[in-house]
Amino acid sequence: MACIVCGNPQMAGLAGWHATCPACCYESAALTPAINAHTGPEVNEAEREAGLKALRLENFKTIVHYAKKHARPNARRLLDVGSAHGWFLETARADFDVLGVEPDAVVGSRAAARGLPVRSGYFPDVLAEGERFDVIVFNDVIEHIPDIRSALAACRERLDEGGILILNLPNSRGFFYRLSKLIARLGWRAPFERLWQKDLPSPHVHYFNARNLCQLVAGQGFELAEAAELPALRARGLLERLRCAGNVPTLSLYAQYVAIMAAIPVLRMFPSDIIVGVFRKKAAG
Ligand SMILES: [Zn+2]
């Protein structure tokens, strides 16, 4: 199968469903999404929310900062694709007129019930004809979309002149992802499968690094405005996050907590597992 970034043939990866491009390092997975089918193992949604919320909110504040920094001075309309619980909409609505699109009907209606402007369905199908934005954001979403080129083309179409596209996604050069690949080579595949979200309702189908992501997006009529990393681990909310990993005995939980807290400054020396790319729509012609 040809690499979607550079067109070179991909090689077999670390599992039957995993492939890598030797030329640009793009990685893909032949995993099938089943949103709204909920066939995978049930994740305790409330616990997952609590565990991830503190980290997400901090990173979302940084993303709103990027949106304000790079969008035109009078930019107002912001679209959040895959708005999930609506946390990004809540973070951004002080600065923008926000709209969310969420394919998971249950999650989307729960956010809408909290008074957030969320449309249930897929981007760009649920948008009205001619509906356009100054900023489009994908938080942990683009890596789930099989036909990523069509999604990027739709972003270009739905952005006004000089509009900004912000992609926040996992980094294939990240410390934890590379560690999971090392461990998978040694025979234990669980962490690697977890990072691809294998067997969850919406698995990842792409793994990019800053460089091949930029190559793909630039080819769709955008130019890079800023590339950055966001912390994948923060001290705030860490304990809650560890708790939702399952029935871990208390002593072991605190041992993990102390070990990770001590490791955070060291981990900052390695590439983070979360990257963000800010792209500006190039003028036509
Ligand atoms: Zn490639």
Side-chain angles (χ1 to χ4, degrees), residues 3 6 21 24:
C3 168
C6 72
C21 174
C24 75

Side-chain angles (χ1 to χ4, degrees), residues 3-8 21-26:
C3 168
I4 61 159
V5 177
C6 72
N8 281 295
C21 174
C24 75
C25 301
Y26 162 77

Side-chain angles (χ1 to χ4, degrees), residues 63-79 88-99 117 134-137 164 166:
I63 289 167
V64 171
H65 160 78
Y66 286 137
K68 284 160 67 181
K69 180 178 166 188
H70 292 286
R72 291 176 309 174
N74 57 348
R76 286 303 303 168
R77 295 154 304 159
L78 181 147
L79 175 68
F88 183 76
L89 297 174
E90 283 174 324
T91 311
R93 72 173 161 183
D95 298 289
F96 295 95
D97 298 328
V98 296
L99 173 67
D134 300 301
V135 181
I136 300 182
V137 182
I164 295 294
I166 302 182

Side-chain angles (χ1 to χ4, degrees), residues 10-21 25-31 177 181 185 192 196 205 207:
Q10 283 189 277
M11 291 184 344
L14 296 176
W17 47 266
H18 178 235
T20 63
C21 174
C25 301
Y26 162 77
E27 300 182 27
S28 66
L31 299 171
Y177 182 60
K181 290 212 288 189
R185 281 196 191 93
F192 177 70
W196 278 97
V205 291
Y207 237 113

